Amino acid sequence: MHKHLQKVREFHQRFGIEQPAYPETAHLSDMDIVMRQALLMDCGSETFKAITAGDLAKILAGLVDLAYNALAAIACRGDDVSATTVKWRQDGSVLSVMRVLADKINNCSSGESIHYSALYNLCEQLARGFVNADFDRAFNTVHAHLMGSNIPSTNAGRDYGQRIAKETLPPAPDLSDALYE
């Protein structure tokens, strides 16, 4: 099992978020896909705002949050991260970054693990190539912050309003230490 996916599964277990036992694969319901898409779009919006402001630490936090949410969807399916090729133009243009992120987020509306994996892999690559940061260190910092937070572990069942509130990640800690520059 992928090391970051294992951390997300630990988070789910700690806070009572339902997931099948690995490697029992389950399909996401239509409403689960919509909920996951809403969470990804919120993280995408925060990432785009950080890009607009030019704040590298917040861009990194947005990429890690996107990756964490993509892995959460994979964990809720009982799958593992798939190896995918990620292509983006390293032309120095923020528009190319925005386009590729928006496309990968949009593709996740399929509810398939391959698309969530592609988004995760893109976030990891952008953290290294666009932000010039240590993605693994940033991911581990966010995970430790989440595991130490006081998220109520109530059973939300099929109430998607409660589930969205429960699965929305709190603001990431300062990730400046994970930046190489």
Side-chain angles (χ1 to χ4, degrees), residues 94-108:
V94 293
L95 285 178
S96 64
V97 172
M98 187 258 332
R99 284 184 190 116
V100 73
L101 269 174
D103 288 344
K104 295 296 182 204
I105 291 169
N106 183 53
N107 290 344
C108 290

Side-chain angles (χ1 to χ4, degrees), residues 39-82:
L39 293 168
L40 289 173
M41 291 173 76
D42 283 347
C43 292
S45 176
E46 292 303 314
T47 305
F48 295 149
K49 289 174 187 173
I51 290 171
T52 301
D55 187 331
L56 291 177
K58 287 186 179 178
I59 295 169
L60 179 58
L63 292 172
V64 171
D65 285 351
L66 274 169
Y68 213 94
N69 275 290
L71 291 175
I74 294 169
C76 287
R77 286 183 47 94
D79 283 339
D80 203 350
V81 177
S82 304

